[in-house]
Amino acid sequence: MLEFLDEIKGNVIIRVLTTGEDIYEAIKSAAEEHNINAAVFNMIGAVSKAVIGYFDMKKKEYLKNIFEKDMEIVSCMGNIARKEDGSIVVHAHIAIADEKGHVYGGHLFPGTLAGATGELFILPLKKKIVRKIDEKTSLFLIKDQK
Ligand code: ZN
């Protein structure tokens, strides 16, 4: 834990999302704005719509579940890295709960919209994390860190 804390730059980026804002795009634009090479983030709040994926290893593609209602964000977390060409990659997962407390979750896709609020905390890291295409999965996986 102390080693992890030592990797944190110290400048936590806090962004409060407004109703209807796209969560994935908000994380990505914050990363671009602050020129982030590597970071971890978390978010709580609510969604009014969610597009959540499950990666099918046989088909090598995401199956998507779409929820079009107000739900709580129990947890949204992930990391920010770069591809070899320098472009930013946001990898986020989300767990959302309905009025009965039933939780659904998976890989966060664009199109997931903030509900009442979204409290995003990004912790930039001193490291550089690089993602490269993985032949086996066709996904951009973490291949390098400095
Ligand atoms: Zn994922």
Side-chain angles (χ1 to χ4, degrees), residues 69-89:
K69 60 190 274 187
D70 293 320
M71 294 172 89
E72 294 287 330
I73 299 173
V74 178
S75 173
C76 176
M77 60 180 292
N79 58 63
I80 297 164
R82 299 264 183 169
K83 286 185 189 171
E84 286 174 291
D85 66 5
S87 58
I88 287 172
V89 182

Side-chain angles (χ1 to χ4, degrees), residues 22-67:
D22 188 297
I23 293 171
Y24 182 90
E25 298 302 337
I27 299 165
K28 196 170 181 189
S29 73
E32 282 164 355
E33 221 171 273
H34 294 270
N35 198 27
I36 289 172
N37 285 320
V40 291
F41 60 84
N42 71 59
M43 190 175 122
I44 54 172
V47 296
S48 58
K49 181 184 175 186
V51 183
I52 297 175
Y54 167 86
F55 190 72
D56 186 319
M57 274 294 281
K58 282 182 191 143
K59 291 182 181 167
K60 291 187 183 180
E61 64 181 32
Y62 281 98
L63 310 175
K64 288 180 185 169
N65 287 308
I66 297 172
F67 301 85

Side-chain angles (χ1 to χ4, degrees), residues 64-144:
K64 288 180 185 169
N65 287 308
I66 297 172
F67 301 85
E68 301 211 48
K69 60 190 274 187
D70 293 320
M71 294 172 89
E72 294 287 330
I73 299 173
V74 178
S75 173
C76 176
M77 60 180 292
N79 58 63
I80 297 164
R82 299 264 183 169
K83 286 185 189 171
E84 286 174 291
D85 66 5
S87 58
I88 287 172
V89 182
V90 172
H91 188 198
H93 284 201
I94 190 168
I96 52 173
D98 66 14
E99 68 278 12
K100 294 202 165 136
H102 295 145
V103 175
Y104 303 88
H107 180 96
L108 178 80
F109 274 99
T112 302
L113 308 178
T117 189
E119 299 168 356
L120 172 65
F121 285 56
I122 301 175
L123 300 174
L125 304 174
K126 293 173 194 163
K127 283 187 182 294
K128 194 162 194 173
I129 302 172
V130 180
R131 287 184 178 272
K132 291 177 187 167
I133 191 80
D134 176 71
E135 301 297 332
K136 218 167 126 189
T137 59
S138 303
L139 294 170
F140 281 88
L141 302 182
I142 294 173
K143 295 293 181 188
D144 203 11

